[in-house]
Amino acid sequence: MTQQISQSQDFTDKEILVINCGSSSVKFSLINPATGESELSGLAQCLLSSDANITIKYQGEKKTYNLAAPFDHQCALAILVSQLQQLGLVKSICAVGHRVVHGGEQYSEPTLITNEVEQAISQLAKLAPLHNPANLIGIKACQQAFSDLPQIAIFDTAFHQTMPEKAYIYGLPYSLYQEHGVRRYGFHGTSHYFVAKQAAKQLAKPLEQCNLISAHLGNGCSVTVIKDGKSVDTSLGMTPVEGVMMGTRSGDLDAGIIFHLVEQLGYSITDVDNLVNKKSGLLGVSGISNDCRALETAMLEDNNSQAKLALTVFCYRIAKSIASYSASLTSLDGLIFTGGIGENSSWVRQQIIQQLSLLNFALDPDKNLATRFGASGNISADNARDCWVIATNEEWVIAEQSAQLLTTLDK
Ligand code: ADP
């Protein structure tokens, strides 16, 4: 699926450098915002450790360099800049678009990064302590490396700012929301937005007329319900722990379990944090791996019962989450699977869909099996409700929205 997202502006010769900075990694991609094509992309990973390395892919050819420690985000970006210079690509870059995880309630639109915006992103780190500080490192490093280019923030939470109060207020004292911003924010917004837009094209109607449920299933997982093109509820919450079960995150828990762990089993709060974020989910239940592929192999080839249990719980909880969103809609055009698992695991898709027959979902087994490894398409059986696999492309959304912001700044 490579339709143009934006056809109105002429960015034919222009590129946006898209940066997604994690605590020990930098993902980058030079993208033409009109076509979504990427001439150069890559990943620096294991930063600040002795395994640090950077892989750069240019015109289909991949090169990996191992790097001497201590190798940080600035060093990774310095290598990227020197590669861009050597290849004569710097002059085509018109802005740097940054993925920023948490924009709180302030940011529902792409935003030019000023000192004030940087401070806000820094303050919002209290809601996303693992992500926003890393995003800021990327922003600061790019400000140094590309001092004359506009830096633009695209927030993961932005798409969900259209949720009504009934979806984002927790059953806690209201003052916690008013005074401390304790509410559902949701994440994976750029991915849900991108796949919803692609589904609207499949339906041949404007996104604003589409009612969809989108399941982004990767290491992190979330299910979002989209009414008239807008997010009206989503499974991830104030932090990315809530909702369905994930690779290493537990998803929804009885909060009483936390008191039990602390009061009866001697866990510290740091232990609990570590447990629900890093040791639970597919990894915790299986005791084998957080990786869906490894679990499918263990289940199907070695008949491993823990792998089967982990995948079964994973699929049931996603099916339940999808079904729960019938409370948010009066009609439903279809369901979208995306993310590494959603795009590739025909077994997971089949398990989820067979628990949703009440909503008239059913898969065509051949189409389900054939639609993997980057392929997109409709996998529903004849006469069943539409179900699509759509390869997500968050980088393209970041590039497109950065370009759109640039045109408004020019006016
Ligand atoms: P992230 O949330 O880190 O971006 P991804 O969207 O890349 O994660 O998804 C990673 C998940 O996708 C892993 O659980 C991985 O096992 C799963 N995955 C990737 N390819 C396949 C495949 N062919 N079959 C099943 N699962 C797959």
Side-chain angles (χ1 to χ4, degrees), residues 20 27 99 188 216-221 247 249 282 289-296 314 338-348 372-373 392 394:
N20 181 352
K27 260 193 211 165
R99 175 187 182 214
H188 296 144
H216 177 110
L217 311 179
N219 276 315
C221 300
R249 289 178 236 152
L282 290 173
S289 173
N290 64 310
D291 191 297
C292 182
R293 275 166 300 199
L295 295 183
E296 283 189 27
F314 178 77
T338 193
I341 299 174
E343 291 168 31
N344 293 299
S345 175
S346 47
W347 189 90
V348 165
R372 294 189 293 161
F373 314 128
T392 196
E394 287 152 286

Side-chain angles (χ1 to χ4, degrees), residues 57-374:
K57 189 169 153 197
Y58 176 61
Q59 293 184 338
E61 201 186 320
K62 249 188 197 176
K63 280 193 184 147
T64 299
Y65 311 85
N66 290 321
L67 306 158
F71 196 85
D72 62 10
H73 300 75
Q74 271 92 347
C75 302
L77 283 162
I79 292 199
L80 172 62
V81 174
S82 101
Q83 287 288 314
L84 291 168
Q85 279 164 345
Q86 279 175 34
L87 296 167
L89 295 172
V90 173
K91 58 184 181 307
S92 66
I93 306 175
C94 59
V96 185
H98 295 267
R99 175 187 182 214
V100 179
V101 166
H102 220 305
E105 288 188 324
Q106 290 105 300
Y107 298 109
S108 56
E109 299 289 339
T111 304
L112 185 70
I113 300 174
T114 58
N115 287 342
E116 197 187 348
V117 174
E118 259 183 77
Q119 273 171 20
I121 295 172
S122 172
Q123 277 161 14
L124 286 163
K126 59 180 182 284
L127 297 176
L130 297 178
H131 296 98
N132 274 28
N135 302 151
L136 270 176
I137 292 174
I139 290 169
K140 286 188 196 303
C142 285
Q143 283 168 337
Q144 272 184 6
F146 305 98
S147 55
D148 51 350
L149 289 181
Q151 312 280 329
I152 294 164
I154 310 293
F155 297 93
D156 245 29
T157 46
F159 181 57
H160 301 300
Q161 277 299 304
T162 47
M163 281 189 291
E165 256 187 335
K166 70 175 179 186
Y168 69 73
I169 290 295
Y170 288 117
L172 290 167
Y174 194 66
S175 56
L176 278 173
Y177 165 60
Q178 288 175 306
E179 291 161 27
H180 302 287
V182 175
R183 54 158 281 182
R184 177 184 312 285
Y185 291 95
F187 301 89
H188 296 144
T190 48
S191 175
H192 290 296
Y193 169 71
F194 177 80
V195 297
K197 209 153 168 163
Q198 300 302 326
K201 285 184 179 149
Q202 296 298 303
L203 290 163
K205 56 182 182 178
L207 178 59
E208 295 68 33
Q209 290 172 19
C210 294
N211 296 324
L212 301 159
I213 296 177
S214 154
H216 177 110
L217 311 179
N219 276 315
C221 300
S222 65
V223 183
T224 291
V225 54
I226 295 157
K227 186 177 185 187
D228 301 329
K230 295 193 170 81
S231 168
V232 290
D233 205 349
T234 191
S235 60
L236 288 172
M238 175 170 129
T239 75
V241 186
E242 199 184 344
V244 298
M245 193 170 108
M246 304 173 225
T248 61
R249 289 178 236 152
S250 62
D252 291 339
L253 276 185
D254 172 356
I257 292 172
I258 294 174
F259 315 134
H260 183 77
L261 292 172
V262 172
E263 286 164 8
Q264 306 297 327
L265 304 180
Y267 280 63
S268 69
I269 284 299
T270 310
D271 294 338
V272 176
D273 188 342
N274 210 20
L275 183 84
V276 298
N277 276 297
K278 299 193 176 147
K279 294 185 179 167
S280 298
L282 290 173
L283 172 67
V285 178
S286 71
I288 299 171
S289 173
N290 64 310
D291 191 297
C292 182
R293 275 166 300 199
L295 295 183
E296 283 189 27
T297 305
M299 172 183 66
L300 299 171
E301 292 177 15
D302 306 333
N303 212 13
N304 185 298
S305 58
Q306 283 309 116
K308 183 168 186 191
L309 177 64
L311 286 168
T312 304
V313 174
F314 178 77
C315 294
Y316 175 59
R317 299 213 11 191
I318 292 163
K320 260 202 329 187
S321 176
I322 292 167
S324 75
Y325 288 139
S326 54
S328 310
L329 296 172
T330 50
S331 71
L332 174 61
D333 292 306
L335 170 70
I336 307 161
F337 283 111
T338 193
I341 299 174
E343 291 168 31
N344 293 299
S345 175
S346 47
W347 189 90
V348 165
R349 294 189 304 235
Q350 174 57 27
Q351 282 292 309
I352 294 171
I353 291 297
Q354 76 186 24
Q355 297 172 85
L356 293 170
S357 55
L358 207 59
L359 292 176
N360 193 29
F361 281 112
L363 293 188
D364 177 312
D366 295 333
K367 288 184 192 164
N368 184 31
L369 207 56
T371 313
R372 294 189 293 161
F373 314 128

